[in-house]
Amino acid sequence: MKIKFLWILTSFFVVFAASAGKSGRWKIAADGSVIWTIGEDIPHYDHVEMSGESVSSVIRYGVNADGSFHLERTVIWPMLRTVPNDTHASLTERFAMDFMDLLVANHAVLRSEKVKSITFNGYLTVVSEYAFTHRDLIRGERRHAAVELTRTIFPSPDNPV
């Protein structure tokens, strides 16, 4: 299973690196991961499929024109089938809710998300900045972030989660 996972991951990097050079959006980092530092090249949306021990997922993600992060997850449980020996009959659920909308810090709702970077190295890692109020957004000519948040999205390679 681990060899298959590594083969899929290596194949993904080869295809991803080939397409990364064409758009100029993605860069290969020194550690071998690919990173997109968000600039003026938004909006942009993409997807990636990841599989773990007992679950697979299709992650549809992107950065909206206002700099906020867009995320939808389709989770597939291949071992839970409604029709035996039919992989297309696996239990599948799509989650379009962004759980970050539910976060509160210091009794205030986080507002005005601005994605700083998205990195893929087997995990999808998104770094964003948030503000508490509109006054927090601009201090002088520079944007002032109240909170920096890092999301890491991945299916477990060795647990059924």
Side-chain angles (χ1 to χ4, degrees):
M1 179 69 176
K2 290 184 180 186
I3 292 173
K4 182 179 177 184
F5 178 74
L6 290 174
W7 182 83
I8 290 171
L9 187 61
T10 303
S11 299
F12 174 78
F13 276 126
V14 169
V15 170
F16 200 71
S19 66
K22 295 177 185 174
S23 71
R25 181 174 282 118
W26 294 92
K27 305 289 185 223
I28 299 175
D31 64 357
S33 63
V34 288
I35 185 167
W36 172 27
T37 303
I38 311 304
E40 300 298 319
D41 50 353
I42 57 175
H44 176 71
Y45 304 96
D46 211 335
H47 70 279
V48 63
E49 182 175 347
M50 297 186 278
S51 293
E53 177 67 23
S54 297
V55 68
S56 294
S57 60
V58 177
I59 308 298
R60 291 170 189 83
Y61 65 95
V63 179
N64 298 318
D66 65 354
S68 63
F69 187 62
H70 173 79
L71 177 66
E72 291 183 17
R73 304 167 193 86
T74 300
V75 181
I76 302 110
W77 291 270
M79 301 305 289
L80 301 175
R81 295 185 183 153
T82 56
V83 178
N85 297 325
D86 182 358
T87 56
H88 299 291
S90 298
L91 176 63
T92 302
E93 189 65 40
R94 189 167 182 161
F95 300 95
M97 179 179 180
D98 187 4
F99 297 103
M100 298 303 119
D101 292 339
L102 304 174
L103 287 182
V104 174
N106 291 342
H107 305 290
V109 175
L110 298 176
R111 299 177 184 265
S112 303
E113 177 183 19
K114 298 293 180 197
V115 179
K116 292 172 58 175
S117 66
I118 298 175
T119 306
F120 189 79
N121 62 349
Y123 304 125
L124 185 66
T125 304
V126 181
V127 178
S128 299
E129 293 178 340
Y130 286 87
F132 289 125
T133 66
H134 294 291
R135 285 182 305 181
D136 290 336
L137 292 176
I138 308 245
R139 297 243 172 110
E141 290 297 314
R142 295 185 313 151
R143 183 180 195 288
H144 174 74
V147 174
E148 182 175 281
L149 180 93
T150 301
R151 303 173 209 191
T152 304
I153 302 165
F154 65 97
S156 175
D158 53 3
N159 290 307
V161 296

